[in-house]
Amino acid sequence: MAKELNFKQELVGCFGFPVAENPTQAMIEPAFRAMGLDWRYLTLEVTPENLAAAVAGARAFGFKGFNCTIPHKVAVIEHLDGLGESAALMGAVNCVVNRDGKFIGENTDGKGFVSSFREIADPTGQSLLLLGAGGAARAIGVEMALAGVRKITVANRSEKRGRQLEALFRGPVSDAVGGTVEIEYLPLTGKFSVPEGTDIVVNATSIGLFPDVDAQVPIDVDSLTSEMVVADVIPNPPKTWLVREATARGCRVIDGLGMLVAQGVIGIEYWTGQTPDPAVMRTALEDIF
Ligand SMILES: NC(=O)c1ccc[n+]([C@@H]2O[C@H](COP(=O)([O-])OP(=O)(O)OC[C@H]3O[C@@H](n4cnc5c(N)ncnc54)[C@H](OP(=O)(O)O)[C@@H]3O)[C@@H](O)[C@H]2O)c1
């Protein structure tokens, strides 16, 4: 009897511009192979003027979903059929999921952070200091509020951007959690001292990202205490100056690879309905970084 043959792969991918340096494919495709799935994750260069056509193309090709990176995280929303709760609060999508033919926008950045955080501590009732007020800070703040933190302090270099994030957290995000979260803004200037009572410190700035690997987050590291959890979003290189200083002070530390892998795990779960092996994904990234 002839064997049934299937040469049609399921497709997912990443839309960005520029996109060639995005490493996501290097962790997602090994995860698919380890799961025994004949799926492809394509790294696709999509210019802003081609975004609508690219989304229409993904529908035509029956994509199971796709990631969005700079500059499409906000612009993609008008081409989608709906948004998940946290993506709606953030106004940004980094993961589109094909649910019964509808393209739904999710945001896995903050969910990935919370997932890697939960491996070492419970966020409920904790006081979070966010350094930075860009997309990563917003994603982490929204998900940590939904996960039950008691307080969020935003510290940012540009006051305008810091105040915008403070307003989002004080308004819609606070409303979404029943007004239970306290919000504060502080300027990130000089040698910033971590406020007493802080439980979690997150570098959500781009300081330390390759090639500026020696750049230092402008905080007084002597204000870190061993009771704190310190996280850095920078995936490349994972051992940033902050990660090294916090480790030396006995803090529990989460590096940027932890968050990157965890958000990739959530994306694969959304697309395939199955959980990949995070160790396979982390090893694949460690090999390239
Ligand atoms: N590990 C992961 O899974 C993951 C996921 C998402 C993002 N990331 C990383 O997160 C980082 C931030 O991404 P983003 O999308 O949030 O970028 P973004 O929107 O451009 O925001 C960058 C933030 O960094 C601050 N900043 C940059 N240089 C600074 C400096 N020299 N001194 C003080 N503040 C500085 C900016 O402050 P101003 O407002 O004052 O300019 C802003 O708050 C990127 O490096 C990215 O690789 C990692």
Side-chain angles (χ1 to χ4, degrees):
M1 224 170 68
K3 202 165 84 177
E4 195 176 317
L5 299 172
N6 177 10
F7 298 103
K8 176 188 164 294
Q9 288 87 33
E10 298 296 350
L11 297 177
V12 288
C14 177
F15 293 3
F17 183 76
V19 79
E21 286 194 23
N22 189 293
T24 321
Q25 183 190 63
M27 71 167 176
I28 301 274
E29 290 211 327
F32 285 158
R33 281 195 290 278
M35 296 162 85
L37 294 177
D38 187 18
W39 284 45
R40 292 294 140 82
Y41 184 98
L42 307 176
T43 301
L44 295 164
E45 190 160 83
V46 175
T47 59
E49 57 276 20
N50 278 328
L51 181 61
V55 177
R59 289 185 197 274
F61 288 131
F63 270 50
K64 294 290 187 185
F66 55 91
N67 285 135
C68 277
T69 186
I70 290 167
H72 303 314
K73 289 186 179 186
V74 177
V76 74
I77 291 173
E78 65 174 292
H79 307 295
L80 303 179
D81 303 308
L83 295 178
E85 182 190 17
S86 57
L89 280 169
M90 291 167 205
V93 164
N94 78 333
C95 183
V96 175
V97 188
N98 183 337
R99 293 194 178 119
D100 301 324
K102 299 241 181 299
F103 275 4
I104 306 300
E106 298 282 358
N107 200 306
T108 58
D109 277 339
K111 290 187 203 298
F113 178 84
V114 171
S115 161
S116 54
F117 186 86
R118 282 194 200 281
E119 283 176 22
I120 58 168
D122 178 1
T124 313
Q126 305 267 299
S127 176
L128 166 69
L129 169 66
L130 273 177
L131 306 170
R138 189 188 322 183
I140 291 168
V142 167
E143 296 290 355
M144 288 295 268
L146 294 174
V149 293
R150 168 178 59 82
K151 180 174 179 182
I152 302 176
T153 302
V154 177
N156 198 51
R157 177 180 62 179
S158 131
E159 177 166 359
K160 186 169 174 223
R161 210 130 78 119
R163 293 282 183 199
Q164 279 168 352
L165 194 57
E166 179 196 22
L168 174 76
F169 290 163
R170 267 192 209 286
V173 174
S174 178
D175 291 348
V177 295
T180 51
V181 60
E182 187 187 335
I183 308 297
E184 182 184 31
Y185 167 77
L186 295 172
L188 184 61
T189 50
K191 216 174 174 194
F192 182 88
S193 187
V194 174
E196 269 184 43
T198 300
D199 302 304
I200 310 159
V201 179
V202 180
N203 172 38
T205 73
S206 42
I207 299 170
L209 188 65
F210 181 86
D212 295 322
V213 297
D214 294 324
Q216 298 181 1
V217 180
I219 66 165
D220 176 3
V221 278
D222 289 330
S223 61
L224 296 174
T225 65
S226 59
E227 295 78 44
M228 294 175 185
V229 177
V230 177
D232 201 321
V233 298
I234 300 298
N236 178 25
K239 279 204 169 41
T240 57
W241 173 80
L242 180 65
V243 164
R244 294 194 304 271
E245 292 290 337
T247 305
R249 281 163 177 75
C251 307
R252 284 165 295 164
V253 174
I254 303 169
D255 68 25
L257 279 189
M259 177 178 167
L260 189 58
V261 169
Q263 55 113 329
V265 167
I266 294 164
I268 291 177
E269 286 173 342
Y270 277 148
W271 296 325
T272 70
Q274 298 175 44
T275 300
D277 181 355
V280 168
M281 297 163 74
R282 179 150 186 134
T283 303
L285 287 177
E286 281 172 351
D287 284 349
I288 56 167
F289 290 146

